[in-house]
mmCIF file of all heavy atoms in Angstrom:
data_model
loop_
_atom_site.group_PDB
_atom_site.id
_atom_site.type_symbol
_atom_site.label_atom_id
_atom_site.label_comp_id
_atom_site.label_asym_id
_atom_site.label_seq_id
_atom_site.Cartn_x
_atom_site.Cartn_y
_atom_site.Cartn_z
ATOM 1 N N SER A 13 0.830 -1.222 -0.018
ATOM 2 C CA SER A 13 -0.014 -0.020 -0.009
ATOM 3 C C SER A 13 0.853 1.267 -0.005
ATOM 4 O O SER A 13 0.491 2.270 -0.604
ATOM 5 C CB SER A 13 -0.976 -0.006 1.202
ATOM 6 O OG SER A 13 -0.219 -0.047 2.396
ATOM 7 N N ALA A 14 1.998 1.194 0.613
ATOM 8 C CA ALA A 14 2.917 2.357 0.661
ATOM 9 C C ALA A 14 3.513 2.587 -0.710
ATOM 10 O O ALA A 14 3.714 3.744 -1.141
ATOM 11 C CB ALA A 14 4.003 2.183 1.744
ATOM 12 N N ILE A 15 3.837 1.484 -1.405
ATOM 13 C CA ILE A 15 4.401 1.587 -2.740
ATOM 14 C C ILE A 15 3.329 2.128 -3.678
ATOM 15 O O ILE A 15 3.638 2.974 -4.563
ATOM 16 C CB ILE A 15 4.908 0.215 -3.223
ATOM 17 C CG1 ILE A 15 6.056 -0.294 -2.305
ATOM 18 C CG2 ILE A 15 5.366 0.292 -4.694
ATOM 19 C CD1 ILE A 15 6.462 -1.737 -2.606
ATOM 20 N N MET A 16 2.101 1.671 -3.508
ATOM 21 C CA MET A 16 0.996 2.207 -4.337
ATOM 22 C C MET A 16 0.824 3.690 -4.119
ATOM 23 O O MET A 16 0.582 4.461 -5.049
ATOM 24 C CB MET A 16 -0.275 1.450 -3.977
ATOM 25 C CG MET A 16 -0.277 -0.015 -4.376
ATOM 26 S SD MET A 16 -1.641 -0.951 -3.669
ATOM 27 C CE MET A 16 -3.120 -0.172 -4.471
ATOM 28 N N ALA A 17 0.903 4.075 -2.892
ATOM 29 C CA ALA A 17 0.648 5.496 -2.526
ATOM 30 C C ALA A 17 1.790 6.436 -2.917
ATOM 31 O O ALA A 17 1.594 7.517 -3.488
ATOM 32 C CB ALA A 17 0.398 5.667 -1.045
ATOM 33 N N ASP A 18 3.015 5.997 -2.691
ATOM 34 C CA ASP A 18 4.183 6.919 -2.798
ATOM 35 C C ASP A 18 5.227 6.502 -3.790
ATOM 36 O O ASP A 18 6.177 7.191 -4.022
ATOM 37 C CB ASP A 18 4.820 7.074 -1.420
ATOM 38 C CG ASP A 18 3.848 7.564 -0.353
ATOM 39 O OD1 ASP A 18 3.086 8.500 -0.669
ATOM 40 O OD2 ASP A 18 3.886 7.070 0.781
ATOM 41 N N GLY A 19 5.117 5.306 -4.384
ATOM 42 C CA GLY A 19 6.122 4.824 -5.313
ATOM 43 C C GLY A 19 7.327 4.292 -4.536
ATOM 44 O O GLY A 19 7.226 3.856 -3.419
ATOM 45 N N PRO A 20 8.501 4.269 -5.202
ATOM 46 C CA PRO A 20 8.754 4.860 -6.543
ATOM 47 C C PRO A 20 8.051 4.063 -7.689
ATOM 48 O O PRO A 20 7.734 2.908 -7.545
ATOM 49 C CB PRO A 20 10.290 4.754 -6.685
ATOM 50 C CG PRO A 20 10.648 3.586 -5.826
ATOM 51 C CD PRO A 20 9.686 3.613 -4.671
ATOM 52 N N GLU A 21 7.863 4.759 -8.786
ATOM 53 C CA GLU A 21 7.101 4.200 -9.889
ATOM 54 C C GLU A 21 7.696 2.915 -10.435
ATOM 55 O O GLU A 21 6.985 1.943 -10.716
ATOM 56 C CB GLU A 21 6.968 5.216 -10.983
ATOM 57 C CG GLU A 21 6.117 4.770 -12.158
ATOM 58 C CD GLU A 21 5.872 5.820 -13.202
ATOM 59 O OE1 GLU A 21 6.466 6.912 -13.042
ATOM 60 O OE2 GLU A 21 5.168 5.542 -14.180
ATOM 61 N N ASP A 22 9.054 2.854 -10.489
ATOM 62 C CA ASP A 22 9.687 1.618 -11.031
ATOM 63 C C ASP A 22 9.461 0.448 -10.137
ATOM 64 O O ASP A 22 9.379 -0.694 -10.621
ATOM 65 C CB ASP A 22 11.206 1.842 -11.316
ATOM 66 C CG ASP A 22 11.933 2.242 -10.049
ATOM 67 O OD1 ASP A 22 11.363 2.582 -9.014
ATOM 68 O OD2 ASP A 22 13.221 2.246 -10.122
ATOM 69 N N LEU A 23 9.261 0.670 -8.837
ATOM 70 C CA LEU A 23 9.000 -0.427 -7.930
ATOM 71 C C LEU A 23 7.523 -0.861 -8.058
ATOM 72 O O LEU A 23 7.223 -2.098 -8.045
ATOM 73 C CB LEU A 23 9.258 -0.013 -6.474
ATOM 74 C CG LEU A 23 9.288 -1.103 -5.421
ATOM 75 C CD1 LEU A 23 10.260 -2.196 -5.758
ATOM 76 C CD2 LEU A 23 9.643 -0.503 -4.046
ATOM 77 N N LEU A 24 6.621 0.065 -8.248
ATOM 78 C CA LEU A 24 5.221 -0.237 -8.468
ATOM 79 C C LEU A 24 5.039 -1.023 -9.778
ATOM 80 O O LEU A 24 4.194 -1.939 -9.817
ATOM 81 C CB LEU A 24 4.334 0.991 -8.429
ATOM 82 C CG LEU A 24 2.860 0.815 -8.684
ATOM 83 C CD1 LEU A 24 2.263 -0.141 -7.646
ATOM 84 C CD2 LEU A 24 2.144 2.126 -8.736
ATOM 85 N N THR A 25 5.753 -0.652 -10.818
ATOM 86 C CA THR A 25 5.511 -1.259 -12.085
ATOM 87 C C THR A 25 6.182 -2.630 -12.240
ATOM 88 O O THR A 25 5.938 -3.316 -13.230
ATOM 89 C CB THR A 25 5.989 -0.335 -13.251
ATOM 90 O OG1 THR A 25 7.368 0.001 -13.004
ATOM 91 C CG2 THR A 25 5.176 0.928 -13.339
ATOM 92 N N LEU A 26 7.019 -3.058 -11.304
ATOM 93 C CA LEU A 26 7.489 -4.423 -11.287
ATOM 94 C C LEU A 26 6.286 -5.360 -11.331
ATOM 95 O O LEU A 26 5.352 -5.214 -10.574
ATOM 96 C CB LEU A 26 8.320 -4.717 -10.064
ATOM 97 C CG LEU A 26 9.769 -4.217 -10.011
ATOM 98 C CD1 LEU A 26 10.358 -4.598 -8.643
ATOM 99 C CD2 LEU A 26 10.565 -4.903 -11.083
ATOM 100 N N THR A 27 6.341 -6.294 -12.258
ATOM 101 C CA THR A 27 5.192 -7.143 -12.463
ATOM 102 C C THR A 27 4.649 -7.822 -11.147
ATOM 103 O O THR A 27 3.479 -7.897 -10.923
ATOM 104 C CB THR A 27 5.556 -8.273 -13.482
ATOM 105 O OG1 THR A 27 5.949 -7.627 -14.680
ATOM 106 C CG2 THR A 27 4.354 -9.154 -13.758
ATOM 107 N N GLU A 28 5.590 -8.228 -10.308
ATOM 108 C CA GLU A 28 5.152 -8.931 -9.085
ATOM 109 C C GLU A 28 4.464 -7.992 -8.097
ATOM 110 O O GLU A 28 3.760 -8.423 -7.183
ATOM 111 C CB GLU A 28 6.379 -9.589 -8.400
ATOM 112 C CG GLU A 28 7.424 -8.626 -7.892
ATOM 113 C CD GLU A 28 8.607 -9.398 -7.241
ATOM 114 O OE1 GLU A 28 9.454 -9.869 -7.999
ATOM 115 O OE2 GLU A 28 8.596 -9.455 -6.039
ATOM 116 N N ASN A 29 4.678 -6.667 -8.224
ATOM 117 C CA ASN A 29 3.973 -5.654 -7.409
ATOM 118 C C ASN A 29 2.748 -5.132 -8.079
ATOM 119 O O ASN A 29 1.719 -4.928 -7.486
ATOM 120 C CB ASN A 29 4.924 -4.512 -7.050
ATOM 121 C CG ASN A 29 6.004 -4.938 -6.095
ATOM 122 O OD1 ASN A 29 5.854 -5.903 -5.299
ATOM 123 N ND2 ASN A 29 7.146 -4.265 -6.160
ATOM 124 N N ALA A 30 2.868 -4.871 -9.396
ATOM 125 C CA ALA A 30 1.741 -4.281 -10.137
ATOM 126 C C ALA A 30 0.508 -5.152 -10.116
ATOM 127 O O ALA A 30 -0.613 -4.685 -9.934
ATOM 128 C CB ALA A 30 2.186 -4.013 -11.564
ATOM 129 N N GLN A 31 0.742 -6.496 -10.242
ATOM 130 C CA GLN A 31 -0.458 -7.397 -10.343
ATOM 131 C C GLN A 31 -1.244 -7.386 -9.019
ATOM 132 O O GLN A 31 -2.484 -7.163 -9.103
ATOM 133 C CB GLN A 31 0.022 -8.777 -10.736
ATOM 134 C CG GLN A 31 0.567 -8.789 -12.140
ATOM 135 C CD GLN A 31 0.605 -10.196 -12.781
ATOM 136 O OE1 GLN A 31 -0.104 -11.090 -12.366
ATOM 137 N NE2 GLN A 31 1.443 -10.338 -13.827
ATOM 138 N N PRO A 32 -0.643 -7.623 -7.885
ATOM 139 C CA PRO A 32 -1.468 -7.588 -6.647
ATOM 140 C C PRO A 32 -1.955 -6.129 -6.370
ATOM 141 O O PRO A 32 -3.034 -5.973 -5.766
ATOM 142 C CB PRO A 32 -0.523 -8.116 -5.564
ATOM 143 C CG PRO A 32 0.816 -8.019 -6.084
ATOM 144 C CD PRO A 32 0.710 -8.152 -7.587
ATOM 145 N N ALA A 33 -1.219 -5.142 -6.782
ATOM 146 C CA ALA A 33 -1.649 -3.751 -6.468
ATOM 147 C C ALA A 33 -2.940 -3.408 -7.241
ATOM 148 O O ALA A 33 -3.865 -2.793 -6.667
ATOM 149 C CB ALA A 33 -0.556 -2.773 -6.842
ATOM 150 N N ILE A 34 -2.986 -3.753 -8.502
ATOM 151 C CA ILE A 34 -4.186 -3.529 -9.312
ATOM 152 C C ILE A 34 -5.389 -4.288 -8.758
ATOM 153 O O ILE A 34 -6.503 -3.764 -8.666
ATOM 154 C CB ILE A 34 -3.890 -3.866 -10.754
ATOM 155 C CG1 ILE A 34 -2.863 -2.922 -11.379
ATOM 156 C CG2 ILE A 34 -5.162 -3.835 -11.579
ATOM 157 C CD1 ILE A 34 -2.235 -3.407 -12.648
ATOM 158 N N MET A 35 -5.100 -5.500 -8.357
ATOM 159 C CA MET A 35 -6.215 -6.311 -7.727
ATOM 160 C C MET A 35 -6.691 -5.636 -6.455
ATOM 161 O O MET A 35 -7.893 -5.491 -6.231
ATOM 162 C CB MET A 35 -5.695 -7.736 -7.470
ATOM 163 C CG MET A 35 -6.703 -8.645 -6.803
ATOM 164 S SD MET A 35 -6.857 -8.551 -5.018
ATOM 165 C CE MET A 35 -5.202 -8.983 -4.449
ATOM 166 N N ALA A 36 -5.754 -5.233 -5.566
ATOM 167 C CA ALA A 36 -6.125 -4.619 -4.269
ATOM 168 C C ALA A 36 -6.919 -3.370 -4.499
ATOM 169 O O ALA A 36 -7.921 -3.119 -3.798
ATOM 170 C CB ALA A 36 -4.866 -4.316 -3.493
ATOM 171 N N ASN A 37 -6.575 -2.587 -5.458
ATOM 172 C CA ASN A 37 -7.284 -1.326 -5.704
ATOM 173 C C ASN A 37 -8.718 -1.618 -6.171
ATOM 174 O O ASN A 37 -9.688 -0.978 -5.728
ATOM 175 C CB ASN A 37 -6.531 -0.521 -6.829
ATOM 176 C CG ASN A 37 -7.109 0.872 -6.981
ATOM 177 O OD1 ASN A 37 -7.237 1.632 -6.012
ATOM 178 N ND2 ASN A 37 -7.391 1.207 -8.196
ATOM 179 N N ALA A 38 -8.904 -2.584 -7.042
ATOM 180 C CA ALA A 38 -10.215 -2.935 -7.557
ATOM 181 C C ALA A 38 -11.060 -3.505 -6.422
ATOM 182 O O ALA A 38 -12.258 -3.219 -6.243
ATOM 183 C CB ALA A 38 -10.141 -3.895 -8.699
ATOM 184 N N MET A 39 -10.445 -4.386 -5.585
ATOM 185 C CA MET A 39 -11.198 -4.986 -4.484
ATOM 186 C C MET A 39 -11.564 -4.026 -3.387
ATOM 187 O O MET A 39 -12.616 -4.156 -2.773
ATOM 188 C CB MET A 39 -10.396 -6.164 -3.918
ATOM 189 C CG MET A 39 -10.382 -7.419 -4.852
ATOM 190 S SD MET A 39 -12.014 -8.028 -5.357
ATOM 191 C CE MET A 39 -12.697 -8.450 -3.732
ATOM 192 N N ALA A 40 -10.685 -3.049 -3.184
ATOM 193 C CA ALA A 40 -11.025 -1.974 -2.232
ATOM 194 C C ALA A 40 -12.272 -1.195 -2.716
ATOM 195 O O ALA A 40 -13.170 -0.851 -1.964
ATOM 196 C CB ALA A 40 -9.863 -1.033 -2.048
ATOM 197 N N THR A 41 -12.306 -0.946 -4.041
ATOM 198 C CA THR A 41 -13.469 -0.249 -4.609
ATOM 199 C C THR A 41 -14.703 -1.054 -4.431
ATOM 200 O O THR A 41 -15.757 -0.552 -4.044
ATOM 201 C CB THR A 41 -13.189 -0.036 -6.116
ATOM 202 O OG1 THR A 41 -11.948 0.665 -6.296
ATOM 203 C CG2 THR A 41 -14.318 0.805 -6.768
ATOM 204 N N LEU A 42 -14.635 -2.369 -4.659
ATOM 205 C CA LEU A 42 -15.799 -3.223 -4.496
ATOM 206 C C LEU A 42 -16.236 -3.272 -3.015
ATOM 207 O O LEU A 42 -17.419 -3.296 -2.719
ATOM 208 C CB LEU A 42 -15.472 -4.661 -5.033
ATOM 209 C CG LEU A 42 -16.621 -5.660 -4.887
ATOM 210 C CD1 LEU A 42 -17.891 -5.250 -5.598
ATOM 211 C CD2 LEU A 42 -16.127 -7.026 -5.322
ATOM 212 N N GLN A 43 -15.267 -3.383 -2.121
ATOM 213 C CA GLN A 43 -15.577 -3.444 -0.699
ATOM 214 C C GLN A 43 -16.279 -2.181 -0.227
ATOM 215 O O GLN A 43 -17.238 -2.284 0.588
ATOM 216 C CB GLN A 43 -14.276 -3.675 0.102
ATOM 217 C CG GLN A 43 -14.540 -3.913 1.600
ATOM 218 C CD GLN A 43 -15.364 -5.153 1.834
ATOM 219 O OE1 GLN A 43 -15.253 -6.145 1.102
ATOM 220 N NE2 GLN A 43 -16.273 -5.130 2.808
ATOM 221 N N VAL A 44 -15.860 -1.035 -0.687
ATOM 222 C CA VAL A 44 -16.582 0.197 -0.355
ATOM 223 C C VAL A 44 -17.983 0.151 -0.860
ATOM 224 O O VAL A 44 -18.959 0.481 -0.175
ATOM 225 C CB VAL A 44 -15.824 1.422 -0.960
ATOM 226 C CG1 VAL A 44 -16.639 2.691 -0.739
ATOM 227 C CG2 VAL A 44 -14.448 1.587 -0.250
ATOM 228 N N LEU A 45 -18.144 -0.266 -2.106
ATOM 229 C CA LEU A 45 -19.524 -0.364 -2.715
ATOM 230 C C LEU A 45 -20.403 -1.270 -1.935
ATOM 231 O O LEU A 45 -21.593 -0.952 -1.675
ATOM 232 C CB LEU A 45 -19.382 -0.857 -4.170
ATOM 233 C CG LEU A 45 -20.654 -0.983 -4.993
ATOM 234 C CD1 LEU A 45 -21.252 0.402 -5.240
ATOM 235 C CD2 LEU A 45 -20.334 -1.657 -6.296
ATOM 236 N N GLU A 46 -19.850 -2.430 -1.526
ATOM 237 C CA GLU A 46 -20.696 -3.436 -0.813
ATOM 238 C C GLU A 46 -20.946 -3.027 0.626
ATOM 239 O O GLU A 46 -22.104 -3.133 1.119
ATOM 240 C CB GLU A 46 -20.015 -4.780 -0.928
ATOM 241 C CG GLU A 46 -20.038 -5.338 -2.360
ATOM 242 C CD GLU A 46 -19.680 -6.811 -2.424
ATOM 243 O OE1 GLU A 46 -18.963 -7.309 -1.504
ATOM 244 O OE2 GLU A 46 -20.148 -7.470 -3.364
ATOM 245 N N SER A 47 -19.903 -2.677 1.360
ATOM 246 C CA SER A 47 -20.043 -2.486 2.810
ATOM 247 C C SER A 47 -20.544 -1.111 3.192
ATOM 248 O O SER A 47 -21.225 -0.991 4.226
ATOM 249 C CB SER A 47 -18.694 -2.765 3.520
ATOM 250 O OG SER A 47 -17.737 -1.807 3.169
ATOM 251 N N GLU A 48 -20.208 -0.112 2.436
ATOM 252 C CA GLU A 48 -20.616 1.261 2.818
ATOM 253 C C GLU A 48 -21.903 1.719 2.104
ATOM 254 O O GLU A 48 -22.586 2.616 2.588
ATOM 255 C CB GLU A 48 -19.475 2.237 2.564
ATOM 256 C CG GLU A 48 -18.223 1.895 3.391
ATOM 257 C CD GLU A 48 -17.296 3.101 3.573
ATOM 258 O OE1 GLU A 48 -17.693 4.237 3.132
ATOM 259 O OE2 GLU A 48 -16.189 2.906 4.075
ATOM 260 N N PHE A 49 -22.188 1.120 0.953
ATOM 261 C CA PHE A 49 -23.409 1.519 0.206
ATOM 262 C C PHE A 49 -24.368 0.424 0.015
ATOM 263 O O PHE A 49 -25.460 0.585 -0.616
ATOM 264 C CB PHE A 49 -22.940 2.136 -1.178
ATOM 265 C CG PHE A 49 -22.156 3.410 -1.012
ATOM 266 C CD1 PHE A 49 -20.804 3.396 -0.981
ATOM 267 C CD2 PHE A 49 -22.836 4.638 -0.820
ATOM 268 C CE1 PHE A 49 -20.079 4.579 -0.829
ATOM 269 C CE2 PHE A 49 -22.120 5.821 -0.743
ATOM 270 C CZ PHE A 49 -20.742 5.774 -0.709
ATOM 271 N N GLY A 50 -24.075 -0.765 0.513
ATOM 272 C CA GLY A 50 -25.030 -1.878 0.478
ATOM 273 C C GLY A 50 -25.331 -2.457 -0.894
ATOM 274 O O GLY A 50 -26.339 -3.105 -1.098
ATOM 275 N N VAL A 51 -24.426 -2.214 -1.876
ATOM 276 C CA VAL A 51 -24.609 -2.738 -3.225
ATOM 277 C C VAL A 51 -23.726 -3.999 -3.375
ATOM 278 O O VAL A 51 -22.548 -3.861 -3.535
ATOM 279 C CB VAL A 51 -24.251 -1.690 -4.279
ATOM 280 C CG1 VAL A 51 -24.401 -2.274 -5.682
ATOM 281 C CG2 VAL A 51 -25.110 -0.458 -4.142
ATOM 282 N N ARG A 52 -24.325 -5.173 -3.266
ATOM 283 C CA ARG A 52 -23.601 -6.405 -3.363
ATOM 284 C C ARG A 52 -23.449 -6.831 -4.830
ATOM 285 O O ARG A 52 -24.423 -6.891 -5.587
ATOM 286 C CB ARG A 52 -24.255 -7.530 -2.541
ATOM 287 C CG ARG A 52 -24.267 -7.287 -1.062
ATOM 288 C CD ARG A 52 -24.951 -8.410 -0.323
ATOM 289 N NE ARG A 52 -24.210 -9.669 -0.453
ATOM 290 C CZ ARG A 52 -24.646 -10.729 -1.166
ATOM 291 N NH1 ARG A 52 -25.818 -10.666 -1.819
ATOM 292 N NH2 ARG A 52 -23.904 -11.802 -1.255
ATOM 293 N N LEU A 53 -22.242 -7.222 -5.209
ATOM 294 C CA LEU A 53 -22.042 -7.635 -6.606
ATOM 295 C C LEU A 53 -22.962 -8.785 -6.989
ATOM 296 O O LEU A 53 -23.540 -8.785 -8.100
ATOM 297 C CB LEU A 53 -20.584 -8.055 -6.778
ATOM 298 C CG LEU A 53 -20.135 -8.535 -8.168
ATOM 299 C CD1 LEU A 53 -18.652 -8.212 -8.421
ATOM 300 C CD2 LEU A 53 -20.311 -10.043 -8.333
ATOM 301 N N ALA A 54 -23.152 -9.715 -6.111
ATOM 302 C CA ALA A 54 -23.937 -10.917 -6.413
ATOM 303 C C ALA A 54 -25.399 -10.579 -6.690
ATOM 304 O O ALA A 54 -26.069 -11.315 -7.361
ATOM 305 C CB ALA A 54 -23.844 -11.949 -5.267
ATOM 306 N N ASP A 55 -25.844 -9.423 -6.170
ATOM 307 C CA ASP A 55 -27.226 -9.030 -6.360
ATOM 308 C C ASP A 55 -27.437 -8.215 -7.681
ATOM 309 O O ASP A 55 -28.532 -8.085 -8.156
ATOM 310 C CB ASP A 55 -27.741 -8.180 -5.183
ATOM 311 C CG ASP A 55 -27.777 -8.971 -3.929
ATOM 312 O OD1 ASP A 55 -27.906 -10.182 -3.960
ATOM 313 O OD2 ASP A 55 -27.672 -8.313 -2.852
ATOM 314 N N HIS A 56 -26.332 -7.651 -8.212
ATOM 315 C CA HIS A 56 -26.468 -6.730 -9.317
ATOM 316 C C HIS A 56 -25.667 -7.093 -10.552
ATOM 317 O O HIS A 56 -25.799 -6.395 -11.563
ATOM 318 C CB HIS A 56 -26.028 -5.276 -8.849
ATOM 319 C CG HIS A 56 -26.913 -4.737 -7.820
ATOM 320 N ND1 HIS A 56 -28.054 -4.017 -8.101
ATOM 321 C CD2 HIS A 56 -26.803 -4.720 -6.420
ATOM 322 C CE1 HIS A 56 -28.660 -3.637 -6.977
ATOM 323 N NE2 HIS A 56 -27.892 -4.019 -5.960
ATOM 324 N N ALA A 57 -24.878 -8.165 -10.489
ATOM 325 C CA ALA A 57 -24.115 -8.587 -11.703
ATOM 326 C C ALA A 57 -24.622 -9.894 -12.234
ATOM 327 O O ALA A 57 -24.809 -10.865 -11.475
ATOM 328 C CB ALA A 57 -22.635 -8.719 -11.333
ATOM 329 N N ALA A 58 -24.848 -9.910 -13.550
ATOM 330 C CA ALA A 58 -25.150 -11.208 -14.179
ATOM 331 C C ALA A 58 -23.905 -12.034 -14.446
ATOM 332 O O ALA A 58 -24.036 -13.249 -14.538
ATOM 333 C CB ALA A 58 -25.849 -10.915 -15.526
#
């Protein structure tokens, strides 16, 4: 999370960091949607 927030960019773009970072960012977005706004993916996605 610190690398995502502050870099350096070359460390974030390393494949082994970029892949879990992109996943974490998307899952954080989904968690906010589900837990704070009550919109569950399973109820709204085909």
Side-chain angles (χ1 to χ4, degrees):
S13 59
I15 298 172
M16 293 167 65
D18 303 317
E21 185 174 0
D22 59 348
L23 191 56
L24 177 60
T25 54
L26 280 177
T27 302
E28 65 181 80
N29 291 332
Q31 294 199 21
I34 293 163
M35 180 278 298
N37 190 52
M39 288 304 300
T41 306
L42 178 60
Q43 187 60 37
V44 171
L45 182 65
E46 292 194 333
S47 66
E48 298 200 10
F49 294 94
V51 177
R52 294 181 65 250
L53 180 149
D55 296 334
H56 294 276

